[in-house]
Amino acid sequence: MARVPYPTCTGGLALVVPHVNRIATAVPANDVHDAFIGFARDTLTNPRHRKLFDRMAERSGVEHRFSHLVPAEGGGAALDEGGFYSRGAFPTTAARMRMYERHATDLAVEAVERLGPGAVTHVVVASCTGFTAPGLDQLLIERLGLGPNVQRTLVGFMGCYAAVPALRIAHQAVLADPAARVLVVALELCTLHLQESQDIETVLSFLIFGDGAAAALVTAEPHGLALHGFHAATIPDTQGMITWRIGDQGFDMHLSGKVPGAIATALRAEADRNDGGGILAGQEPEDVALWAVHAGGRTVLDAVEQGLRLPERALAHSRAVLREVGNVSSATLGFVLERMLKGTETGQGVALAFGPGLCAESFRFSRV
């Protein structure tokens, strides 16, 4: 545990332990899961691919996903009422970025207003689904009326694990200044990046991604989740398994079917190491009471469960988030931690997320 002494009012020393005091989340109004599945299925012309898609849709573990897009009634050539996604005329990257700029700040503000952070000294924003300047960090500060002297950090294009580096920055800010009050926001509009393709792996991505925002307050106040050691690890020989490149028609994601196997193998090695380092920092998996794992998909959660030899109930919060909102990229971990804070479980915990690299970002936490 990283601890820094600072003077108390009695002249003694206290130990600074940064805490996530509370978390709030928000999703857009429109549940688009069924519409996305129908539109994606009709995109495929290969009967064998359609059959595979149907089987994967049934087993996805996702029941709801949300977007600012309003699904078109009765199907047809357009996915949504505004015709943003129309067959043969998917939007350009410029059009998608205009939509990001229009909707991103509103959703982030909704999450922050639910959080009610009070006074804020730092703002850390994580997002990989859009770019604009002034950035979302500046736009958010202006909308919230936080003032021009708030310190800002933007964590961009790191993908699904970006919430962990964002929290690490907040952790370091509080260690450096125990009076710091850090607002951490993860905002993703994943539904801006659907692709018209016959590639089955690309079309299968229609099954899991949705939009969402998570806001957290990190301070030295000793309530909520105490943040301990952070850890990052890149899995060797996996660089091409998750890629995320800017194309002429949005951001092109490649998500290999080999990802779950690579995760399971790497985590099995983590569970077996006995040098006191790594994700578990010398603990056995069974010693960890709370698991906050990024809900990247059913097969990813299965891989974590199998690799670390966890009981089925260990990932209940992550599976519930996957079911209720899908994979909302960097915001997902915030949804999982929010569920934990609303519950009554206590003990030592591990938070874990995966993304391009193939990289695993994690931290240890505790709730008393």
Side-chain angles (χ1 to χ4, degrees), residues 13-24:
L13 291 178
L15 296 176
V16 176
V17 180
H19 283 66
V20 177
N21 298 140
R22 53 186 183 272
I23 298 175

Side-chain angles (χ1 to χ4, degrees), residues 143-270:
R143 283 279 298 274
L144 296 172
L146 296 180
N149 297 320
V150 172
Q151 297 185 37
R152 299 176 289 107
T153 304
L154 181 63
V155 178
F157 222 59
M158 292 189 78
C160 292
Y161 56 65
V164 180
L167 287 170
R168 183 170 62 235
I169 292 168
H171 178 268
Q172 292 167 346
V174 173
L175 289 179
D177 178 4
R181 295 176 60 84
V182 188
L183 173 63
V184 179
V185 177
L187 177 287
E188 303 292 5
L189 302 183
C190 300
T191 64
L192 288 180
H193 297 290
L194 303 185
Q195 299 294 323
E196 192 170 29
S197 173
Q198 291 297 312
D199 177 72
I200 185 61
E201 287 188 339
T202 298
V203 178
L204 284 173
S205 69
F206 275 59
L207 292 176
I208 58 174
F209 287 102
D211 298 350
L217 178 65
V218 180
T219 77
E221 297 174 8
H223 60 90
L225 304 177
L227 297 174
H228 304 314
F230 285 76
H231 181 77
T234 299
I235 302 174
D237 303 319
T238 61
Q239 191 173 46
M241 290 188 183
I242 300 178
T243 59
W244 186 229
R245 295 185 170 91
I246 300 176
D248 293 335
Q249 290 187 302
F251 300 170
D252 298 322
M253 169 175 274
H254 169 69
L255 187 60
S256 170
K258 297 179 180 179
V259 167
I263 289 174
T265 299
L267 290 181
R268 196 168 297 118
E270 282 288 316

Side-chain angles (χ1 to χ4, degrees), residues 231 235 260-273 277-294 299-312 314-315 318-319 349-354 360-364:
H231 181 77
I235 302 174
I263 289 174
T265 299
L267 290 181
R268 196 168 297 118
E270 282 288 316
D272 292 339
R273 66 188 293 180
I279 292 170
L280 296 172
Q283 293 178 296
E284 296 294 331
E286 56 266 28
D287 296 330
V288 178
L290 305 171
W291 288 95
V293 178
H294 167 70
T299 56
V300 169
L301 294 177
D302 289 348
V304 173
E305 188 176 286
Q306 294 161 11
L308 293 173
R309 305 179 185 95
L310 301 178
E312 185 176 347
L315 303 185
S318 297
R319 294 189 188 277
V350 169
L352 179 62
F354 304 94
E361 290 270 359
S362 66
F363 61 88
R364 291 174 293 110

Side-chain angles (χ1 to χ4, degrees), residues 21-215:
N21 298 140
R22 53 186 183 272
I23 298 175
T25 60
V27 295
N30 307 303
D31 189 339
V32 296
H33 183 59
D34 291 340
F36 275 22
I37 286 179
F39 191 81
R41 185 184 189 280
D42 291 344
T43 298
L44 296 169
T45 58
N46 185 316
R48 184 169 61 86
H49 287 171
R50 279 194 175 191
K51 187 175 181 179
L52 173 61
F53 181 86
D54 290 343
R55 184 167 69 252
M56 296 302 291
E58 185 177 350
R59 301 177 58 198
S60 69
V62 181
E63 295 180 4
H64 305 281
R65 285 177 293 146
F66 297 87
S67 174
H68 60 277
L69 299 170
V70 180
E73 294 185 5
L79 169 60
D80 58 286
E81 288 185 357
F84 189 70
Y85 290 116
S86 297
R87 298 196 190 282
F90 266 39
T92 64
T93 302
R96 298 176 199 240
M97 292 304 93
R98 286 193 295 270
M99 195 73 80
Y100 177 91
E101 189 170 359
R102 176 182 172 187
H103 293 283
T105 308
D106 289 342
L107 190 59
V109 167
E110 183 178 346
V112 174
E113 288 180 341
R114 291 180 180 178
L115 178 71
V120 170
T121 60
H122 300 66
V123 170
V124 183
V125 174
S127 187
C128 70
T129 48
F131 297 102
T132 181
L136 181 57
D137 53 333
Q138 291 175 284
L139 297 173
L140 191 57
I141 286 172
E142 182 181 6
R143 283 279 298 274
L144 296 172
L146 296 180
N149 297 320
V150 172
Q151 297 185 37
R152 299 176 289 107
T153 304
L154 181 63
V155 178
F157 222 59
M158 292 189 78
C160 292
Y161 56 65
V164 180
L167 287 170
R168 183 170 62 235
I169 292 168
H171 178 268
Q172 292 167 346
V174 173
L175 289 179
D177 178 4
R181 295 176 60 84
V182 188
L183 173 63
V184 179
V185 177
L187 177 287
E188 303 292 5
L189 302 183
C190 300
T191 64
L192 288 180
H193 297 290
L194 303 185
Q195 299 294 323
E196 192 170 29
S197 173
Q198 291 297 312
D199 177 72
I200 185 61
E201 287 188 339
T202 298
V203 178
L204 284 173
S205 69
F206 275 59
L207 292 176
I208 58 174
F209 287 102
D211 298 350

